[in-house]
Amino acid sequence: MRRRATISPDTTNRTAAETGLDRARKRLKPPPVPTDDRARSRLVLDTMILHLHPARIPQRTLKWTYTWGLGGLAALLVTMLVTTGVLLLTNYTPTAPDAYLSILALRSNVWFGDLLRNVHHWSANLLIVVAVLHLLRVFFTGAYRPPREVNWIFGIVMLLLILGANFTGYLLPWDQLAFWAITVGTSLISYVPFIGGWLGSLLLGGPEVSGATLLNFYALHISFVPLSLFVLMALHFWRVRKDGGLTLPRAAGEAPVEKPRRVTTIPYLIRRETVWALSWIAIILTFSVFVSAPLEGIADPNLSPNPAKAPWYFMGLQELLLHFHPFVAAIVIPSLALAGIISLPFLDHLTDHEGIWFRSGRGRSLAMLAAGCSLALSSAWIVADDLFLDWAAWLGNWPTIISNGFIPLAIAVMVLALLDLWVDKGLDGTLEERVLFLFTFLAVSLVVLTIVGIFFRGPGMELMWPWSIASGH
Amino acid sequence: MNEQPIDITHSDEPAVDRRSFLKIAGIAVGALTVAELGGIGLAYLHPRTAEGDFGSVITAGAVDDFPPGSVTHVTNGRFYLTRFDDGGFLALHQRCTHLGCTVPWDQATEQFVCPCHNSQFDDAGSVLNPPAPRPLDRFAVTIDAGMVLIDTSSAIARDDFDGSQVVYA
Ligand code: HEM
Ligand code: FES
C-alpha cells in the first residue's frame, strides 16, 4: 500500500511486455530509499497523510458539489478551536467576576488577544453551521444507510458535543449575554420529570448561575467536551475508511458504479484539501479582524436584559417555548426529534439511491414541495398562535401542560400525519420519499423557527419586523 | 454445553458451587465498586453551599421600614418583600418560574413583568399572564423583635397564593 502511494500514476510505467509476475515482484520490492533531504521529508509527510487517508480514492468522490468539503471544514474548525482555545487559556481566569475582567484585559492589553478571541468565537459558531450542513448533505445524498448508520450515529453525538462545547463556552466571558443565556438555557433542565431539579443544581453547582457554575462549565468546556470530541472524530474517520470510503456520487437514473476509477490521494485529494483549508483560514482571519465577538456589560444577576435571548443556535428552541408549555417544547419535542434522526437509517435502509442528490428527479421536486409547505405552514402557525390562538384561555380549567402543551402538540402531529398520508396515497410516494418529505419539512420548520427567533422577536419577545426592532433601540 | 455435563457437585454439597459463588461475588464486588465510585463522584459534585448572602437567613430591616402597600427589592437576598395593605409580609423569589429571568417590579402597573417571555405576576406573585406555569416561589418570613427575617436557603414552590403564606407582625 505504502509503496503505491509514493509513486504517482504517471511514474508507474506499465509496458505491454510486463507480466503479472513482474508486477508482483515489483510490488514486493521495498519502496525506493530517498536519497536527498527533500525526498526524505516528502516521504515522512506522505506516510503521515496516509495514516488518515487511504492511498487511492475513487475519482468520483472528489466531486466538489457532492461533499461540499463540509466534513473536512468541520475538522479544520475543530483544529483551529483547539489551537486558539489553548492560547486563550493562558489569559483567562475561570472565577466570577474575574473572568469578565480577564476578557477585558485580553482584548485591550494582550497582543492579538482580541483577534484570537474573535477567531475562537467565529470558528465555534461556524462549526455549528458546518456540522448541520454536513448532516443535511449526508441525508440528502442517502449516505447514512447501512453500513454507514454507525457513522450517522457518531455524527449525531458529535453534533450534540459541538452544541455542548458552544453552550459551555458561552458562559465563560461572564457578561450579561452569557449569564442570561445560560440562566434561561439551564432552567429548561428543571422541566425534566422527577430528577430535573436535582440535575439542574448539580450542573449549576447551586440554585442559580454563580461562580460554581462558571467553574463547572469551564471544566466541561476544556476537558470533557473536547476529549470526547477527539475520540469520536477518530472513530468517525476510521469508520469512513472501514465503510470503503465515501458513497459514490452519481446522477439521477445512473446505475451503481461497480468498479470506480481510482486516483492517488497524493496529490489529487491532498491538493484540494490544502487549498480549501487555507482559503477558510484566510476567510476566518479576515472576518475576525473586522468583526468582534460580542461582549456586553459584566453579569448582573439582578437585572435581566430585555429581550434576553438564547444563543442563536437555540433560537428555534426558544421560539418553540413561546408556543408550547416548557415540558413539551424543551423535553418532549427535542427527544422525539433526536429519536427520529437516530432512527432514520433504520427506517429508510434501502441503498438503491445512494449517492444521488434527493434520491431522484422526483425526489428533488418532493423536497422542494416539502420545503414550500413547511415555509407556509410554520410561519402561518407562528403568526396565528401569536395573534389569536390561546389554548390556555380556551381550555381554562385544564392544566397548562395539557392545554398549552399536549393539545397543540397533538394537532401538530396530526398535521404531519395528514401530510404523510397525502404523500403516501395522493402522490403515491415510496417509503423513501415519505421519509424525505417529512425530514425536509421538519428541517425547514427548524430553520423558520430559528430565523423568527433571531430576527423577528423584539423587546418582551413581541413578534415584529426586523427593521422596527433595529429602530426601537 | 455438552450433552453430558460433568457433575462436579455432590448431593451433600451446598446449592451454590465454587464457580458460581465466585461469579456472583465478582459481580457483587464490581457493582459495589461502581456504586461507590459513582456515589463519591456525585457527592463530590454536589452543589457547594452558596457563598455570600443569598442562601442564608437575611435581615431585610425593621417592620416599620416597609410601608403597607409596598414592594421592596432586596437584591443581595434575590427576593422582593411585599407588604400588603393590611400589614402582612410575603417574600417572593425574584426568579421567574418560567425560565429563571429576574422579574423587575413595575410600580406604575403594580406588576412584575418578565423581560424574557412576558410573564406577568401581581404583588402576591400570582400569575396574571403565562407562560409562567406557577406563581413566583416564596421564602419563609419570620418576624423577630420587630425585625423582618427571610430564610433564603430554600425557595418554596406553590400552586396558588393563599392567606396562610402571609406573615403578620
Ligand atoms: C470543540 C470545539 C469548541 C467550541 C465549539 C468552542 C466554543 C466556544 C465558545 C462559543 C466560546 C465563547 C467565546 C466568546 O463568545 O467569547 C468559547 C470560549 C472559550 N473557549 Fe472554546 N470551544 C471549543 C474548544 C475549546 C478548546 C479545545 C479550548 C481549550 C482547551 C477552549 C477554550 C476556551 C476558552 C479559554 C474560552 C474563553 C475565552 C472567551 O470567552 O473569549 N475551547 N469557546
Ligand atoms: S423567563 Fe420569565 S417569562 Fe420566560
Side-chain angles (χ1 to χ4, degrees):
Chain A
M1 278 310 238
R2 188 192 299 154
R3 175 160 170 268
R4 262 208 243 144
T6 50
I7 298 172
S8 62
D10 12 358
T11 57
T12 22
N13 37 18
R14 250 189 218 177
T15 56
E18 208 176 33
T19 64
L21 192 63
D22 285 336
R23 280 206 292 280
R25 207 176 276 143
K26 229 183 198 173
R27 259 180 211 168
L28 287 172
K29 222 164 57 183
V33 179
T35 50
D36 60 294
D37 285 349
R38 193 167 181 282
R40 262 180 227 121
S41 57
R42 251 313 277 278
L43 183 69
V44 171
L45 203 68
D46 287 357
T47 45
M48 219 161 77
I49 289 167
L50 294 173
H51 275 91
L52 254 185
H53 287 306
R56 278 144 53 88
I57 49 159
Q59 190 183 21
R60 282 177 174 256
T61 55
L62 290 177
K63 190 168 185 249
W64 161 243
T65 53
Y66 187 62
T67 64
W68 298 98
L70 291 165
L73 179 52
L76 170 76
L77 289 171
V78 171
T79 316
M80 289 178 63
L81 281 163
V82 174
T83 318
T84 51
V86 170
L87 289 170
L88 285 173
L89 283 180
T90 61
N91 275 290
Y92 178 77
T93 320
T95 52
D98 290 349
Y100 183 72
L101 304 179
S102 72
I103 300 286
L104 285 186
L106 173 81
R107 298 189 67 182
S108 50
N109 304 350
V110 182
W111 277 101
F112 296 117
D114 202 24
L115 179 71
L116 217 61
R117 173 169 182 260
N118 295 346
V119 172
H120 194 76
H121 180 90
W122 296 123
S123 309
N125 284 278
L126 186 61
L127 180 57
I128 295 186
V129 178
V130 169
V132 169
L133 289 177
H134 180 54
L135 182 147
L136 290 178
R137 185 296 272 181
V138 170
F139 175 81
F140 284 116
T141 56
Y144 58 89
R145 295 162 185 175
R148 293 183 176 78
E149 80 275 22
V150 184
N151 243 354
W152 175 255
I153 291 169
F154 285 160
I156 291 161
V157 179
M158 281 194 287
L159 184 61
L160 294 178
L161 282 170
I162 289 170
L163 287 172
N166 263 281
F167 190 64
T168 50
Y170 208 90
L171 183 63
L172 302 185
W174 202 248
D175 62 344
Q176 278 288 73
L177 214 59
F179 187 90
W180 292 104
I182 303 304
T183 296
V184 170
T186 50
S187 296
L188 296 177
I189 300 172
S190 64
Y191 289 96
V192 175
F194 310 117
I195 57 165
W198 174 80
L199 205 63
S201 67
L202 190 71
L203 186 66
L204 295 186
E208 56 175 15
V209 176
S210 65
T213 318
L214 183 59
L215 263 178
N216 281 1
F217 274 41
Y218 175 73
L220 289 173
H221 186 78
I222 69 165
S223 62
F224 176 76
V225 177
L227 279 177
S228 321
L229 201 58
F230 291 156
V231 172
L232 274 152
M233 275 171 68
L235 288 171
H236 195 66
F237 295 155
W238 168 72
R239 281 299 317 187
V240 170
R241 288 192 65 168
K242 227 176 121 68
D243 296 337
L246 305 186
T247 43
L248 297 178
R250 55 196 162 107
E254 193 183 347
V257 191
E258 292 302 341
K259 281 209 161 152
R261 194 180 119 84
R262 288 173 184 272
V263 293
T264 49
T265 297
I266 307 167
Y268 296 101
L269 176 59
I270 284 303
R271 197 152 57 196
R272 282 160 204 251
E273 286 183 341
T274 312
V275 170
W276 184 233
L278 289 177
S279 315
W280 273 102
I281 292 174
I283 294 170
I284 293 167
L285 272 174
T286 315
F287 190 79
S288 301
V289 167
F290 292 106
V291 191
S292 269
L295 187 71
E296 295 190 353
I298 191 165
D300 178 359
N302 288 312
L303 182 74
S304 301
N306 185 358
K309 290 195 173 184
W312 69 265
Y313 38 87
F314 287 141
M315 285 296 185
L317 192 61
Q318 174 184 290
E319 186 60 32
L320 277 182
L321 277 163
L322 294 177
H323 302 282
F324 291 99
H325 183 279
F327 177 69
V328 172
I331 313 287
V332 177
I333 295 179
S335 308
L336 287 177
L338 195 62
I341 295 184
I342 290 176
S343 58
L344 273 177
F346 306 99
L347 265 177
D348 168 24
H349 52 77
L350 302 172
T351 45
D352 300 5
H353 300 123
E354 197 170 84
I356 302 172
W357 274 98
F358 304 105
R359 326 277 188 258
S360 63
R362 190 178 129 96
R364 181 184 296 261
S365 321
L366 270 178
M368 298 302 151
L369 185 66
C373 289
S374 172
L375 219 59
L377 285 178
S378 345
S379 33
W381 174 71
I382 290 173
V383 174
D385 196 39
D386 228 62
L387 292 185
F388 54 84
L389 297 184
D390 195 350
W391 307 103
W394 295 340
L395 304 165
N397 41 5
W398 297 55
T400 50
I401 184 164
I402 309 241
S403 65
N404 214 19
F406 287 110
I407 288 185
L409 179 66
I411 294 175
V413 171
M414 235 144 66
V415 170
L416 287 178
L418 282 176
L419 280 169
D420 183 48
L421 196 70
W422 174 52
V423 178
D424 183 12
K425 298 280 184 298
L427 302 178
D428 211 13
T430 60
L431 176 67
E432 201 179 44
E433 287 171 339
R434 286 164 56 196
V435 170
L436 179 78
F437 188 92
L438 278 187
F439 180 90
T440 313
F441 186 93
L442 292 173
V444 173
S445 303
L446 181 61
V447 174
V448 171
L449 288 169
T450 306
I451 288 177
V452 170
I454 297 176
F455 297 109
F456 293 85
R457 290 279 172 194
M461 291 291 161
E462 301 285 352
L463 205 53
M464 49 177 78
W465 296 110
W467 46 91
S468 33
I469 298 174
S471 62
H473 280 270
Chain B
M1 283 289 141
N2 300 343
E3 274 94 317
Q4 285 180 311
I6 305 157
D7 187 9
I8 55 159
T9 58
H10 302 288
S11 51
D12 54 349
E13 279 192 5
V16 178
D17 62 42
R18 198 165 90 128
R19 189 168 296 232
S20 48
F21 171 77
L22 285 177
K23 199 166 145 192
I24 292 167
I27 292 173
V29 171
L32 199 65
T33 310
V34 170
E36 236 175 81
L37 294 181
I40 290 173
L42 287 181
Y44 176 78
L45 290 173
H46 187 76
R48 290 68 112 185
T49 37
E51 82 281 2
D53 299 345
F54 180 57
S56 55
V57 176
I58 290 177
T59 308
V63 169
D64 296 335
D65 293 347
F66 305 97
S70 70
V71 173
T72 313
H73 195 183
V74 181
T75 50
N76 62 342
R78 307 273 191 270
F79 64 85
Y80 287 94
L81 189 62
T82 295
R83 187 162 196 204
F84 296 107
D85 289 331
D86 66 356
F89 284 100
L90 180 67
L92 299 169
H93 196 181
Q94 67 181 21
R95 187 185 164 93
C96 180
T97 50
H98 180 230
L99 289 175
C101 288
T102 293
V103 286
W105 170 248
D106 181 20
Q107 189 61 53
T109 56
E110 304 209 324
Q111 283 177 5
F112 296 99
V113 182
C114 183
C116 293
H117 315 99
N118 216 14
S119 285
Q120 288 157 15
F121 309 87
D122 66 12
D123 59 353
S126 301
V127 181
L128 298 174
N129 189 39
R134 59 166 202 277
L136 294 175
D137 294 345
R138 65 186 185 90
F139 291 119
V141 178
T142 46
I143 293 181
D144 186 22
M147 301 301 277
V148 189
L149 307 179
I150 286 89
D151 179 3
T152 59
S153 63
S154 68
I156 305 163
R158 55 198 177 134
D159 288 325
D160 285 300
F161 168 69
D162 69 67
S164 70
Q165 296 159 0
V166 182
V167 174
Y168 293 90

